[in-house]
Amino acid sequence: MGEARMDAKKIWSQTLSVLKDEVSDIKYKTFILPMEPAFANDDLFILTAQDAFSQEQLIPMIPLIKNCISAATGKELDVKIELPDSSLTLEMIHQHTSSQAPSVASESSVSQLNPAYTFDAFIVGSGNRFAHAACVSVAEGGKQYNPIFLYGGSGLGKTHLMHAVGNAVKQKMPNQKVVYVNCERFVNEFIATIQSGKYDDFREKYRNADFLLIDDIQFLERKEQTQVEFFHTFNELYESGKMILMTCDKPPQSLSSLEERLRSRFSSGLIVDIQPADYETRIAILNRRMQDEHINLSDDIVDYIASNFASNIRELDGAFKTVVAYCFLANSFTLDDAKIALKDMISPKQAKQVTPEIIVEVVARAYNITVSDIMSNKRSKEILVPRQVCMFLCRSELNMTYPKIGEFFAGKDHSTVLHACNKIETSLKDENSETSIRIDSIKKRLFN
């Protein structure tokens, strides 16, 4: 068996020496070099991509990678490109480790922490400020809120914060046992434990943790036996004063296929909702990416990316990488190049759903102020006029009622909204007024 297991790192190192001459330099550095060899035997070679976007770009390269492996090592291997916590990756690694060391009790969960995910690398904005503060408190030893339950959509930074906690604890409190695990892996390990009967090893690994960081807890749904095991693990850690941090794609009360006693315990600590990044945060993230990569994109390109990829940070990163790769290959860095690079990622047939939030973002950019300024109670002219423009657009373009507009803008009353709309309508009677020109530009940004 040992002879059949090949050294994945050695295979990948040899393959890279061939592969780097077969692709462009930017494609090699952006997508291929960051991949990690995860598993290899006589038939299969598994590489892990750094994110879902990179995986999509790399899968079409599998035939080329197979040929380069054959050229470098003389081996004909089936190649899979997975994410680090995919079921295939975890299953093959588990089979490999089980054949060499039957016990699941190991410190491997600590080594799975991504060293790049730190608090310094995390961009704080209005949608994640509370979650960031809570995680910093945990990393500094604070246990006044236990457990902490972070929830939100995919790609909003939940996993980054969880890894940042683990990395910070390892650095500041090296004697503390940090166990990080994706819930899917926890489930797979427990299934293997049922098959092997080695319950003591499994429980020693998880119930001796000082910090249990469990990602994507929603994978516990409909796993009845695993729910029972996790319930007892949770209780033992909680009663021992150990810290429990979980992430999920929905709040605890929405986990309908979870036992009520687990939902109750998940809700007993601090529940934090992470919202999508606002425009200013997305700009800050892109500026950080440029700083890290020593790349300088023009403001209009950065604005174009930030304006069109608002749903999650993962897509924003993917768009940034695509633009950089395309522009390097084209040896041209213009807005038109960026639009061409992203044309397949921004569907022209997909109507842009304009919301009050989007209107506020676009107006804030047009007047060079922040969203927080518009949503505040400030009444200086440089803030008041943009706020009135927002109210007018919510009325004219979204057909919102005056009370609904007032409710959105921090409880402004009906008369305030009516006055704002009337004032803007009066300004628009002069087509050459600054307000008319500005609103025309804003509408183009909103609907084109």
Side-chain angles (χ1 to χ4, degrees):
M1 177 70 69
E3 182 126 3
R5 302 281 183 190
M6 297 184 289
D7 185 337
K9 288 186 177 180
K10 184 177 179 181
I11 291 174
W12 187 231
S13 176
Q14 293 172 340
T15 302
L16 285 175
S17 64
V18 177
L19 195 52
K20 67 180 180 181
D21 296 325
E22 300 295 326
V23 296
S24 66
D25 187 56
I26 187 64
K27 187 176 289 187
Y28 179 79
K29 290 179 179 177
T30 304
F31 299 113
I32 292 175
L33 203 54
M35 279 198 292
E36 292 288 342
F39 175 85
N41 62 16
D42 280 335
D43 304 305
L44 177 65
F45 186 61
I46 299 177
L47 291 159
T48 57
Q50 56 186 341
D51 52 49
F53 172 76
S54 298
Q55 183 187 31
E56 289 179 8
Q57 305 302 310
L58 287 160
I59 285 175
M61 301 185 209
I62 286 178
L64 173 62
I65 293 173
K66 289 172 69 172
N67 289 338
C68 289
I69 290 175
S70 177
T73 68
K75 302 289 184 179
E76 300 292 335
L77 300 176
D78 185 22
V79 174
K80 301 288 185 184
I81 297 177
E82 302 285 329
L83 296 176
D85 285 323
S86 73
S87 56
L88 175 62
T89 305
L90 296 175
E91 179 186 355
M92 298 309 296
I93 291 174
H94 174 74
Q95 290 179 11
H96 175 62
T97 54
S98 295
S99 69
Q100 298 190 0
S103 172
V104 299
S106 71
E107 300 300 318
S108 61
S109 297
V110 177
S111 64
Q112 289 178 17
L113 291 171
N114 187 332
Y117 287 167
T118 64
F119 288 122
D120 287 341
F122 189 82
I123 303 296
V124 180
S126 60
N128 59 32
R129 183 170 284 107
F130 186 26
H132 175 266
C135 289
V136 169
S137 174
V138 169
E140 293 175 348
K143 295 185 179 180
Q144 62 269 42
Y145 304 112
N146 191 24
I148 289 182
F149 192 98
L150 305 178
Y151 77 92
S154 175
L156 298 184
K158 303 185 301 294
T159 298
H160 187 139
L161 283 174
M162 178 169 279
H163 282 256
V165 169
N167 286 320
V169 170
K170 281 175 60 183
Q171 183 178 15
K172 297 177 182 179
M173 296 173 272
N175 294 328
Q176 297 283 289
K177 182 180 179 183
V178 178
V179 176
Y180 165 81
V181 66
N182 182 284
C183 191
E184 186 177 7
R185 178 167 186 160
F186 182 89
V187 171
N188 289 338
E189 285 187 9
F190 185 64
I191 292 170
T193 295
I194 294 173
Q195 294 170 346
S196 67
K198 298 180 181 295
Y199 290 93
D200 289 343
D201 290 344
F202 182 86
R203 288 165 183 164
E204 179 185 351
K205 175 179 179 178
Y206 290 107
R207 299 188 188 184
N208 287 335
D210 295 299
F211 289 80
L212 176 60
L213 315 177
I214 185 158
D215 217 351
D216 293 327
I217 198 71
Q218 69 270 12
F219 279 105
L220 277 184
E221 289 194 285
R222 295 179 294 279
K223 313 290 192 312
E224 288 81 5
Q225 288 190 66
T226 312
Q227 287 183 34
V228 172
E229 179 65 26
F230 188 76
F231 172 79
H232 293 295
T233 298
F234 182 102
N235 277 353
E236 186 161 328
L237 291 172
Y238 183 80
E239 291 169 3
S240 301
K242 308 302 184 182
M243 192 67 216
I244 304 166
L245 177 60
M246 296 168 282
T247 70
C248 190
D249 63 357
K250 64 191 81 171
Q253 58 268 32
S254 297
L255 294 167
S256 56
S257 300
L258 208 63
E259 289 186 6
E260 172 57 32
R261 59 181 182 173
L262 274 176
R263 287 202 302 270
S264 174
R265 278 158 177 77
F266 292 173
S267 302
S268 65
L270 182 64
I271 302 172
V272 185
D273 177 17
I274 300 182
Q275 293 290 327
D278 58 22
Y279 174 78
E280 290 87 356
T281 305
R282 298 196 299 274
I283 290 292
I285 290 169
L286 292 171
N287 286 336
R288 174 67 68 84
R289 298 291 183 268
M290 289 192 292
Q291 179 182 329
D292 292 343
E293 300 292 333
H294 305 290
I295 293 168
N296 186 29
L297 298 178
S298 63
D299 290 344
D300 57 352
I301 293 178
V302 173
D303 172 76
Y304 183 74
I305 298 172
S307 298
N308 285 283
F309 294 87
S311 59
N312 68 66
I313 307 307
R314 197 168 291 134
E315 289 183 358
L316 187 74
D317 277 336
F320 172 76
K321 291 175 183 176
T322 300
V323 168
V324 170
Y326 181 89
C327 289
F328 266 116
L329 290 170
N331 196 27
S332 176
F333 290 80
T334 67
L335 179 58
D336 286 341
D337 293 317
K339 289 180 178 180
I340 293 171
L342 298 176
K343 63 181 175 61
D344 294 329
M345 299 173 67
I346 302 173
S347 172
K349 296 180 182 179
Q350 183 177 1
K352 191 174 184 179
Q353 184 180 4
V354 177
T355 64
E357 291 82 1
I358 290 176
I359 286 176
V360 172
E361 278 194 12
V362 173
V363 171
R365 297 205 307 272
Y367 282 89
N368 198 28
I369 59 176
T370 68
V371 169
S372 299
D373 287 333
I374 291 179
M375 301 304 293
S376 71
N377 290 320
K378 297 176 183 176
R379 295 192 56 81
S380 60
K381 184 178 179 181
E382 59 267 23
I383 305 298
L384 186 60
V385 171
R387 186 184 299 132
Q388 291 172 339
V389 169
C390 289
M391 291 178 177
F392 169 78
L393 290 171
C394 285
R395 176 69 177 170
S396 64
E397 305 302 327
L398 304 185
N399 294 317
M400 292 174 65
T401 63
Y402 294 125
K404 279 292 184 184
I405 296 171
E407 181 183 331
F408 177 77
F409 287 94
K412 299 287 190 297
D413 61 33
H414 173 279
S415 61
T416 300
V417 178
L418 180 59
H419 171 73
C421 292
N422 288 339
K423 186 169 184 179
I424 298 302
E425 282 181 3
T426 300
S427 299
L428 291 179
K429 290 178 180 178
D430 179 2
E431 295 181 356
N432 296 318
S433 69
E434 181 183 347
T435 302
S436 294
I437 295 170
R438 187 97 68 165
I439 288 180
D440 184 56
S441 173
I442 289 169
K443 285 183 178 180
K444 287 179 179 177
R445 280 180 174 265
L446 284 171
F447 299 107
N448 292 341

